[in-house]
Amino acid sequence: MNNSTPSAANGNDNKKFKGDRPPCSPSRVLHLRKIPCDVTEAEVISLGLPFGKVTNLLMLKGKSQAFLEMASEEAAVTMVNYYTPVTPHLRSQPVYIQYSNHRELKTDNLPNQARAQAALQAVSAVQSGNLSLPGAPSNEGTVLPGQSPVLRIIIENLFYPVTLEVLHQIFSKFGTVLKIITFTKNNQFQALLQYADPLNAHYAKMALDGQNIYNACCTLRIDFSKLTSLNVKYNNDKSRDFTRIDLPTGDGQPPLEPPMAAAFGLSVPAVPGALGPLTLTSSAVTGRMGIPGTSGMPGNSVLLVTNLNPDFITPHGLFILFGVYGDVHRVKIMFNKKENALVQMADASQAQLAMNHLSGQRLYGKVLRATLSKHQAVQLPREGQEDQGLTKDFSNSPLHRFKKPGSKNFQNIFPPSATLHLSNIPPSVTMDDLKNLFIDAGCSVKAFKFFQKDRKMALIQLGSVEEAIQALIELHNHDLGENHHLRVSFSKSTI
């Protein structure tokens, strides 16, 4: 190692870390400290893999240190830039990475290097495509030439909100994520996500395509993007460049402060349902790992709903409307200020979903506003306390749409629209019967059609979104006779 023995080199680096050592100039050799004593060579190599080829490794387990040599200085610089604000972990312990003052590793004549060289050769064989992975079809074990490190992700059945941080946590299990951009296109939540290496993108696609982030919803559809690199201009909740902590937020706010930047990418609470830690095992890269579901996310499940029309709104009306986006447990219209109400959902994700879809919609001539409440639950009135029927408990209602695990309702959650989806229609009920039902409720019917394959369902288009919201409140669960109650929901289609 530049005429120094490895132990001397290590001592040299080690002493320099002990004071306020000026940072070394970039080198393709990186010095890793505080590595766990039981860590494997493959795990240490996995830290460098996303950034390029790892050409050599020297483990000094007795000193809890290692030296990692990258194929190029550029790869090492990218790796250090990434891991400076986002401390990597091995076996749940933080590991510290800095440039070494050595330019290359010479380990040919050193003892105990057989394991390191075997690990390097195994990784190199997989990267070059000469080795198919155990358990994977042979054509899936290799990366095609020119394959992009950028994935295009579409999330279907978006019942729970999926944030940039959630995506980062899930996809980081397959390698280092450099950049993410999220956006909505064709009424679908989508993302572009860039790895440092196409191999990581390949493994992530194999393992995650078609998986649900949460039970029976938020399904990942993953393809390779035609783009080979993403250009991120702002670091905010819609886009993030994890190698550039200095980018502005794009809304006039200054760049992230250093303490915030230090927590970059790690300030996210653990997401229930995210994959386990990345390991270089066949199960992690052949799609055997699923994402366990979760019944909900922690947080506040109570919404404060304001600017309601007190002449028309009732607890039952709010139960029906907010019940489109989750199971409503309790509703309380304020006794002294009846234009305000509290709505308690089954969990925080449903509350967020209802707030996102309903806040800003017109209802009975006023623009409804919904925000998270400071209350953690809606209290029922004490016995004998005057309430005028303004507080209702719906936790045991038979009208909950999402109580049944895997219900099809999870797949049919859409923003309020002027077109309503009707179902559970008995054979004797005609188009005119249904149109008259909505006209009698004060709606103007613009169009109507039964589903060709299933006459139990239909679409009805009304004069406005506000009309449709009010019709849904009034007519969902309406008794059509023959033991059939009408089911009403918002449709993504138009007639």
Side-chain angles (χ1 to χ4, degrees):
M1 235 191 302
N2 272 7
N3 301 323
S4 309
T5 65
S7 56
N10 170 62
N12 193 15
D13 273 12
N14 201 30
K15 282 174 196 162
K16 288 188 179 179
F17 274 109
K18 285 178 180 171
D20 286 330
R21 137 187 186 177
C24 282
S25 59
S27 163
R28 67 191 183 101
V29 179
L30 300 172
H31 182 201
L32 284 66
R33 296 175 295 131
K34 302 276 182 79
I35 63 168
C37 59
D38 57 347
V39 79
T40 66
E41 285 80 355
E43 285 173 292
V44 175
I45 292 168
S46 74
L47 292 176
L49 270 184
F51 304 96
K53 188 173 183 182
V54 178
T55 49
N56 211 345
L57 170 69
L58 175 61
M59 300 279 282
L60 301 167
K61 288 191 177 181
K63 297 178 185 277
S64 299
Q65 298 182 25
F67 288 90
L68 197 68
E69 181 187 272
M70 303 299 291
S72 69
E73 188 177 296
E74 182 185 11
V77 169
T78 305
M79 182 172 166
V80 170
N81 285 349
Y82 180 84
Y83 286 135
T84 298
V86 184
T87 306
H89 286 65
L90 289 174
R91 308 265 172 134
S92 301
Q93 292 185 37
V95 176
Y96 300 95
I97 300 178
Q98 200 159 348
Y99 299 118
S100 168
N101 58 348
H102 300 281
R103 298 292 155 201
E104 63 178 330
L105 281 179
K106 291 185 178 174
T107 58
D108 297 348
N109 302 318
L110 294 177
N112 306 320
Q113 270 298 99
R115 284 167 59 103
Q117 293 307 312
L120 285 164
Q121 285 169 13
V123 168
S124 177
V126 172
Q127 279 189 316
S128 62
N130 296 332
L131 178 71
S132 63
L133 296 160
S138 57
N139 65 333
E140 287 187 350
T142 60
V143 179
L144 299 173
Q147 188 166 287
S148 171
V150 179
L151 295 176
R152 182 172 68 96
I153 302 155
I154 296 174
I155 300 182
E156 297 178 347
N157 310 332
L158 190 68
F159 180 59
Y160 292 117
V162 174
T163 63
L164 184 148
E165 282 82 5
V166 169
L167 291 174
H168 181 255
Q169 184 162 5
I170 291 170
F171 282 82
S172 289
K173 308 305 175 187
F174 294 88
T176 303
V177 176
L178 300 184
K179 302 171 187 177
I180 303 177
I181 297 172
T182 64
F183 54 96
T184 301
K185 185 178 179 183
N186 301 330
N187 284 331
Q188 287 181 311
F189 179 76
Q190 302 190 25
L192 292 168
L193 183 145
Q194 181 181 342
Y195 283 106
D197 192 309
L199 191 72
N200 302 115
H202 176 74
Y203 290 162
K205 181 182 184 299
M206 283 167 59
L208 296 176
D209 187 27
Q211 295 282 358
N212 294 329
I213 298 176
Y214 303 113
N215 268 342
C217 63
C218 300
T219 308
L220 293 165
R221 301 292 179 208
I222 303 171
D223 279 306
F224 291 103
S225 170
K226 292 175 184 174
L227 300 170
T228 54
S229 181
L230 299 179
N231 180 23
V232 176
K233 295 179 180 176
Y234 305 112
N235 281 334
N236 53 33
D237 60 349
K238 298 285 192 295
S239 62
R240 196 79 53 86
D241 184 337
F242 293 95
T243 67
R244 292 278 312 278
I245 62 173
D246 57 318
L247 290 178
T249 58
D251 51 10
Q253 299 175 18
L256 294 171
E257 293 297 317
M260 181 64 187
F264 221 39
L266 293 178
S267 58
V268 193
V271 178
L275 287 166
L278 170 69
T279 53
L280 292 179
T281 62
S282 60
S283 66
V285 292
T286 56
R288 301 286 183 267
M289 262 186 182
I291 308 178
T294 177
S295 60
M297 295 168 68
N300 195 350
S301 60
V302 180
L303 294 171
L304 171 63
V305 186
T306 57
N307 204 37
L308 297 166
N309 188 328
D311 296 333
F312 293 97
I313 204 64
T314 64
H316 183 262
L318 290 172
F319 163 69
I320 294 295
L321 177 58
F322 280 76
V324 173
Y325 300 106
D327 291 336
V328 177
H329 284 191
R330 291 178 180 178
V331 177
K332 183 185 201 77
I333 293 176
M334 302 301 191
F335 185 77
N336 294 321
K337 201 172 184 186
K338 292 186 173 62
E339 59 267 29
N340 294 352
L342 294 173
V343 177
Q344 181 177 338
M345 308 295 289
D347 63 45
S349 299
Q350 295 182 5
Q352 187 76 43
L353 196 68
M355 182 174 78
N356 291 349
H357 282 307
L358 294 176
S359 191
Q361 297 290 345
R362 289 186 68 84
L363 175 63
Y364 301 121
K366 301 187 77 171
V367 177
L368 175 155
R369 298 289 173 205
T371 57
L372 290 175
S373 167
K374 63 183 180 183
H375 297 283
Q376 296 299 311
V378 171
Q379 300 298 321
L380 294 175
R382 292 188 299 276
E383 204 171 329
Q385 184 180 357
E386 189 182 1
D387 181 65
Q388 297 178 352
L390 296 176
T391 307
K392 296 283 186 186
D393 188 323
F394 297 100
S395 49
N396 294 316
S397 170
L399 297 185
H400 286 157
R401 295 178 188 243
F402 306 105
K403 244 181 184 167
K404 187 179 173 188
S407 162
K408 282 186 178 177
N409 291 333
F410 281 106
Q411 301 166 27
N412 294 301
I413 296 170
F414 303 110
S417 61
T419 304
L420 294 173
H421 179 276
L422 312 180
S423 61
N424 204 34
I425 304 166
S428 61
V429 171
T430 66
M431 176 174 72
D432 285 341
D433 291 334
L434 289 166
K435 286 170 78 170
N436 288 333
L437 179 68
F438 280 81
I439 290 167
D440 290 345
C443 303
S444 52
V445 176
K446 301 294 183 187
F448 181 96
K449 74 169 183 182
F450 279 110
F451 279 54
Q452 280 187 329
K453 293 181 180 176
D454 187 353
R455 209 184 157 285
K456 293 176 189 168
M457 297 192 290
L459 295 177
I460 188 166
Q461 188 173 330
L462 305 180
S464 67
V465 175
E466 183 179 6
E467 272 189 26
I469 291 174
Q470 289 163 201
L472 182 143
I473 289 173
E474 190 161 332
L475 296 175
H476 178 65
N477 202 47
H478 179 84
D479 189 351
L480 292 172
E482 301 176 41
N483 205 23
H484 283 66
H485 287 78
L486 183 65
R487 297 279 174 262
V488 184
S489 55
F490 298 116
S491 173
K492 66 175 178 179
S493 309
T494 53
I495 302 173

